[in-house]
Amino acid sequence: MSQTALRGSTVANLDLETASDPTSQTIDRPTIALRIVQFGMLTGLVWKFGYFRIGDRVYHEIPLWQDFFPLWLQNPDVLRWSYITACVATMLTAWITQGHWRTLAAALGVVSTSILCLHQGTYNDMTFVTAWWCALWSLWLSMRMDRDDPDRLMEKAAHLGQTILAVVLLGGAAGKWTGEYWSGQVLYDIYFVDRNYWFFNFLRSSLETDDLRMVATGYSRFVVMTETIGSIVIWTLPPRLAALVGVLVFFSIAAMSNFWLFSVLNPLIALASVGFLVRSQSRS
């Protein structure tokens, strides 16, 4: 057989192997992961726009002064431009492909969301806390994308994401391990009494007051246990299973509690989804 024929046969065999093995095709998984998380952050921030627009106007018309905060963290213009910068930074981080500029955009996202976490107008809003965690994860990933092997990087990125999600869930659970939450009184007052949401409207129309109070207790205990156990499960499971559990848990929290909670949970749902991009044969 001639060398030309042998070379042609070898190329044909390689083409057949590539066609039969989809994982051998080149997919820029780290870039896809980064863009998914940026999309989750952006939708979470934009989800908050209606509330933020009203709050922004109120803070400019009726300034609030509290000695606990430095003057610049009381300034409503700082709040406005930090929010705008955070939204722009997420889009730039997803769009830019050059490593150093992408890292700079990610760093801008960390700075702007940090200000939102500390500002008098938004320090108590979990939307910006979850966005900050995802911004920090994005900065780390952008700094490693041009240095690490993509498959190994995705393993580390998924595990870091799992750790962040576990910390967020455990923090929420720790705050609920009180007698008032375990008895259901807190969530009963917040949601079951008069919250205009499809799930609670259905329960009020279907149950008597005593039964509704009993359901509130079970609901509250279920929330406490889900957040507690979920933090351990998400941290310890393999990436793809952790991704599935994370997406289901965070989506169900908002779907069964409050539509506006998606501003808080969209970034976490996106971060959980990173695990789906880890190759099936990999282990973190």
Side-chain angles (χ1 to χ4, degrees):
M1 182 181 293
S2 66
Q3 290 185 352
T4 302
L6 181 59
R7 189 182 304 114
S9 176
T10 302
V11 171
N13 289 335
L14 289 174
D15 289 341
L16 287 174
E17 291 176 3
T18 301
S20 63
D21 182 11
T23 62
S24 65
Q25 299 175 7
T26 301
I27 300 176
D28 191 353
R29 296 171 190 268
T31 298
I32 294 173
L34 184 66
R35 287 174 175 170
I36 288 174
V37 172
Q38 297 312 298
F39 177 76
M41 289 174 57
L42 183 61
T43 56
L45 291 170
V46 172
W47 209 281
K48 201 74 178 180
F49 177 75
Y51 169 83
F52 188 88
R53 179 175 55 84
I54 296 172
D56 178 74
R57 186 174 72 245
V58 170
Y59 285 132
H60 277 83
E61 294 177 355
I62 311 174
L64 299 176
W65 305 108
Q66 171 56 254
D67 292 339
F68 178 81
F69 295 92
L71 287 177
W72 71 278
L73 286 178
Q74 300 178 55
N75 190 316
D77 287 327
V78 171
L79 182 62
R80 173 186 293 176
W81 285 106
S82 295
Y83 176 79
I84 293 172
T85 302
C87 293
V88 172
T90 59
M91 291 185 284
L92 290 177
T93 304
W95 176 64
I96 295 173
T97 56
Q98 291 184 331
H100 60 286
W101 289 112
R102 181 176 53 209
T103 299
L104 182 61
L108 187 62
V110 173
V111 172
S112 56
T113 53
S114 296
I115 294 173
L116 290 169
C117 287
L118 297 173
H119 196 281
Q120 177 181 254
T122 48
Y123 74 94
N124 63 339
D125 196 320
M126 276 298 294
T127 296
F128 306 112
V129 174
T130 58
W132 180 84
W133 277 112
C134 289
L136 198 62
W137 179 92
S138 300
L139 176 59
W140 169 83
L141 182 64
S142 68
M143 294 173 65
R144 304 305 308 176
M145 288 172 69
D146 296 329
R147 302 180 182 182
D148 293 357
D149 171 74
D151 288 342
R152 179 57 183 155
L153 178 59
M154 284 309 305
E155 292 180 15
K156 293 190 289 186
H159 187 67
L160 178 59
Q162 289 172 239
T163 303
I164 291 172
L165 297 176
V167 168
V168 172
L169 274 178
L170 188 59
K176 295 181 179 67
W177 275 108
T178 65
E180 291 78 11
Y181 268 98
W182 192 249
S183 70
Q185 187 61 49
V186 174
L187 294 187
Y188 178 77
D189 292 338
I190 294 175
Y191 291 125
F192 287 81
V193 173
D194 56 7
R195 177 60 62 92
N196 183 22
Y197 189 67
W198 71 270
F199 181 65
F200 303 107
N201 291 340
F202 170 75
L203 291 177
R204 282 194 297 270
S205 65
S206 305
L207 301 172
E208 299 294 334
T209 302
D210 291 343
D211 294 332
L212 187 66
R213 183 65 182 81
M214 187 179 300
V215 170
T217 299
Y219 177 89
S220 186
R221 292 179 181 181
F222 176 77
V223 169
V224 173
M225 295 307 298
T226 297
E227 291 184 354
T228 303
I229 297 173
S231 64
I232 300 172
V233 169
I234 288 176
W235 186 52
T236 56
L237 282 177
R240 290 191 172 189
L241 282 177
L244 179 60
V245 172
V247 169
L248 291 176
V249 167
F250 290 115
F251 180 84
S252 64
I253 289 174
M256 302 298 289
S257 299
N258 185 352
F259 176 80
W260 293 107
L261 278 179
F262 279 111
S263 69
V264 176
L265 297 171
N266 276 354
L268 301 182
I269 292 171
L271 186 59
S273 301
V274 170
F276 291 126
L277 294 172
V278 177
R279 290 184 183 273
S280 58
Q281 68 268 25
S282 298
R283 292 292 182 269
S284 63

